[in-house]
């Protein structure tokens, strides 16, 4: 066992928050490329943004940014300005990365099983990084973190419950195979959050 002379700080520094949030945003933006390469959808606000972007000239980044705006009211009211500012920075950064990444990265068409798995892994780890630095990508993530902090309901469970509703509606809009593989990716994502985002294991604050 390695003993430390002094215990590690229980709060993140500003530089730690910045690097953690940028890594998280990058991983989530990458996960969107895997979704696009396999013609899949996802849940939450990101899924709604993808649904809007597919048949229109609106990019995913723009749709995602605009759809998140109403949730800032809840963030300010229930979580405070610091949390809200972090969310705004994260949403803006991820939106820009998701739109710019195809200019420098090309992902060949993927089998839906592979695309869903890669999406779930990258998005799950990216969101986990954001959560641990006091940020989300807006939307349902804000509600999920608030419920976990105030009611003890696991954030991953809240997100998965909302996703199940989204995919139930998607069955009326997309072939069932697309919805099934998309749900597979969402389940991977939320299992990662449910297992790993626990206040009794990770106590660092920002």
């Amino acid at each position: 066992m390695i003993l430390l002379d002094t215990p590690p700080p229980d709060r993140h520094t500003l530089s730690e928050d910045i690097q953690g949030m940028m890594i998280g945003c990058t991983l989530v933006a990458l996960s969107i490329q895997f979704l696009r390469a396999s013609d899949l959808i996802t849940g939450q606000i990101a899924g709604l943004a993808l649904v809007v972007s597919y048949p229109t000239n609106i990019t995913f980044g723009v749709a995602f940014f605009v759809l998140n705006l109403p949730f800032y009211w809840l963030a300010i009211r229930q979580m405070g300005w610091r949390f809200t500012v972090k969310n705004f920075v994260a949403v803006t950064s991820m939106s820009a990365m998701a739109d710019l990444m195809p200019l420098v990265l090309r992902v060949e068409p993927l089998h839906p099983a592979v695309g869903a798995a890669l999406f779930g892994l990258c998005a799950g780890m990216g969101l986990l990084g954001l959560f641990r630095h006091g940020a989300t990508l807006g939307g349902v993530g804000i509600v999920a973190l608030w419920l976990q902090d105030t009611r003890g309901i696991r954030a991953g469970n809240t997100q998965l419950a909302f996703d199940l509703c989204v995919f139930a509606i998607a069955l009326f809009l997309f072939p069932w195979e697309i919805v099934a593989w998309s749900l597979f990716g969402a389940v991977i994502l939320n299992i990662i959050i449910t297992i790993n985002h626990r206040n009794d294991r990770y106590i660092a604050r920002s």
Side-chain angles (χ1 to χ4, degrees), residues 3-163:
L3 298 178
L4 300 177
D5 293 333
T6 58
D10 63 354
R11 289 189 176 274
H12 293 122
T13 64
L14 177 60
S15 61
E16 289 171 340
D17 277 343
I18 292 174
Q19 65 86 25
M21 290 172 62
M22 288 301 100
I23 291 173
C25 288
T26 302
L27 286 173
V28 177
L30 178 61
S31 76
I32 297 300
Q33 312 312 311
F34 294 134
L35 277 186
R36 287 170 169 166
S38 42
D39 292 325
L40 298 179
I41 60 174
T42 186
Q44 304 178 51
I45 299 302
L48 185 57
L50 279 173
V51 171
V52 171
S53 68
Y54 279 143
T56 68
N57 293 324
I58 301 174
T59 67
F60 166 81
V62 172
F64 182 73
F65 179 84
V66 172
L67 290 171
N68 268 293
L69 292 177
F71 289 91
Y72 290 125
W73 176 84
L74 175 64
I76 294 171
R77 187 177 178 84
Q78 300 294 339
M79 308 291 280
W81 278 101
R82 184 182 181 88
F83 175 81
T84 305
V85 170
K86 282 188 174 184
N87 275 268
F88 184 82
V89 171
V91 169
T92 303
S93 299
M94 202 285 285
S95 298
M97 289 180 184
D99 281 351
L100 294 174
M101 199 170 282
L103 300 178
V104 296
L105 174 68
R106 179 179 178 182
V107 180
E108 297 293 333
L110 296 173
H111 187 279
V114 177
L118 289 175
F119 162 77
L121 290 171
C122 287
M125 295 306 297
L127 286 173
L128 182 63
L130 288 169
F131 285 0
R132 288 185 170 180
H133 288 271
T136 72
L137 286 174
V140 181
I142 293 174
V143 179
L145 278 190
W146 175 62
L147 287 176
Q148 176 158 320
D149 289 344
T150 60
R151 302 290 188 271
I153 302 172
R154 293 283 181 84
N157 292 340
T158 299
Q159 293 187 159
L160 183 57
F162 184 86
D163 287 347

